[in-house]
Amino acid sequence: MPRKDRRMKKSRRRVIKIAGTLLILLFALVGYVFYQYYQGLQTAETLLDKNINLEPEEFNSAIPNELGKVNVLLLGVDKRSDEKASRTDTIMVAQYDPSTNDLKLASFMRDIQVEIPNYKNYRINTAYFLDGAELLRTTMKHNFDIDLHYYALVDFQGFEAAVDSLAPDGIKIDVEKAMSEKIGVSLQPGLQQLNGKELLGYARFRQDSRGDFARVERQQKVINALKDEVLSFVGISKIPKVVGTVQPFVETNLGNIEIIGLLSDFILNKPNDIQTLRIPVEDSYQEIRNDLGSVLEIDFDQNKQALREFLGE
């Protein structure tokens, strides 16, 4: 056989060997992802209350603009089976911009007094209680002129399970003071590794002089800590299991394709930090008492402008 033919044959064998190795690695990776995801689902099955309905609700999504930015309404609730409806304990808008890899998080204080369409004035967290995610979406649009493309409602039990799946040894948090009242756990000051239940309690604590204002700061601090854990090498390897664990506890109109797309962008183009905003912004509100109790009366024009500038819309 001529030397040239021998070289070509040897080169073809090398290409076939490399391709075969890559194919085996690909199958191994796919198998690992499905195995981890299935393990997460099994974990969730042992915790999930079968009486809780988390089927997607009506949500008339806005059409994404030409910039490709995605606004997701994030809601945290304690959706117990003996309750027909729940007030949203946490209301946030997360924006991801794939073109710049910016991740932004705007937190809305739940005691803001707003106009709820077709109802009288209430606290903003009452909108979901009255008629679900769609009424909250229209309330956000009516009061803050913000377009929302998706929503995701996370039950607190799912949050705890996801944290424990992601970080079995806990998430490192510097607890600034002793906390125990109305959060189901007892926390002491100092740098600690908090498990899912403890981290949720830390994020929900509001029994001090700063109330919801400090609670919103802690929630944003927790989100940043979770982001760092997810984007660590070990955290990325656990994402399939975490998704499987938390999925049964999440009510959302995001489809699997959208979730995979957002996760892929997020992992491949890691954001350096999460930019945060609190609504109402400083010097734009006053605390008053009326027939609803203690509420925040805010300057909507000032807050709409701040939100518009923050989200770049």
Side-chain angles (χ1 to χ4, degrees), residues 221-240:
K221 180 178 173 182
V222 164
I223 294 293
N224 258 306
L226 288 173
K227 183 267 298 180
D228 291 340
E229 186 69 28
V230 167
L231 293 180
S232 68
F233 178 78
V234 174
I236 289 175
S237 70
K238 292 180 179 178
I239 284 178

Side-chain angles (χ1 to χ4, degrees), residues 119-137:
Y119 292 88
K120 68 174 186 177
N121 288 4
Y122 283 108
R123 291 183 178 87
I124 192 171
N125 72 329
T126 305
Y128 180 81
F129 173 83
L130 291 171
D131 202 15
E134 172 59 13
L135 181 59
L136 182 52
R137 184 197 68 80

Side-chain angles (χ1 to χ4, degrees), residues 4-134:
K4 182 178 179 181
D5 290 343
R6 285 200 302 271
R7 283 201 303 267
M8 290 180 63
K9 190 173 182 180
K10 192 174 182 180
S11 178
R12 281 198 297 271
R13 283 201 300 267
R14 188 181 298 115
V15 170
I16 290 171
K17 187 180 290 186
I18 293 172
T21 302
L22 290 175
L23 194 59
I24 290 171
L25 289 174
L26 178 61
F27 277 119
L29 178 61
V30 171
Y32 170 81
V33 168
F34 274 99
Y35 174 73
Q36 290 289 310
Y37 176 75
Y38 180 69
Q39 276 203 321
L41 286 178
Q42 285 187 311
T43 300
E45 282 294 315
T46 65
L47 301 171
L48 187 64
D49 185 338
K50 300 298 189 298
N51 294 315
I52 294 178
N53 178 25
L54 290 173
E55 288 297 316
E57 310 174 27
E58 177 188 2
F59 195 82
N60 296 317
S61 307
I63 299 173
N65 61 30
E66 67 280 0
L67 298 177
K69 297 177 181 180
V70 177
N71 294 334
V72 182
L73 178 64
L74 301 178
L75 308 174
V77 299
D78 190 3
K79 204 163 190 177
R80 300 168 188 168
S81 58
D82 59 343
E83 296 177 348
K84 293 183 179 179
S86 305
R87 285 175 172 79
T88 43
D89 192 78
T90 301
I91 302 173
M92 298 178 174
V93 172
Q95 184 191 79
Y96 181 63
D97 186 347
S99 64
T100 61
N101 197 34
D102 285 337
L103 183 59
K104 299 178 180 179
L105 190 68
S107 299
F108 293 76
M109 307 234 348
R110 64 182 189 175
D111 288 337
I112 297 172
Q113 181 175 275
V114 295
E115 292 181 3
I116 299 180
N118 301 318
Y119 292 88
K120 68 174 186 177
N121 288 4
Y122 283 108
R123 291 183 178 87
I124 192 171
N125 72 329
T126 305
Y128 180 81
F129 173 83
L130 291 171
D131 202 15
E134 172 59 13

Side-chain angles (χ1 to χ4, degrees), residues 125-194:
N125 72 329
T126 305
Y128 180 81
F129 173 83
L130 291 171
D131 202 15
E134 172 59 13
L135 181 59
L136 182 52
R137 184 197 68 80
T138 59
T139 299
M140 299 283 282
K141 177 65 177 177
H142 178 73
N143 290 274
F144 298 102
D145 194 26
I146 182 172
D147 291 322
L148 298 168
H149 307 116
Y150 302 103
Y151 85 96
L153 184 149
V154 182
D155 180 72
F156 290 150
Q157 191 179 19
F159 175 87
E160 293 177 16
V163 171
D164 291 337
S165 179
L166 174 65
D169 294 328
I171 298 291
K172 189 178 291 185
I173 290 288
D174 189 2
V175 180
E176 58 270 22
K177 63 178 71 177
M179 302 176 186
S180 60
E181 191 176 350
K182 297 184 179 180
I183 58 173
V185 293
S186 181
L187 304 177
Q188 298 303 315
L191 190 63
Q192 301 170 50
Q193 300 284 132
L194 302 185

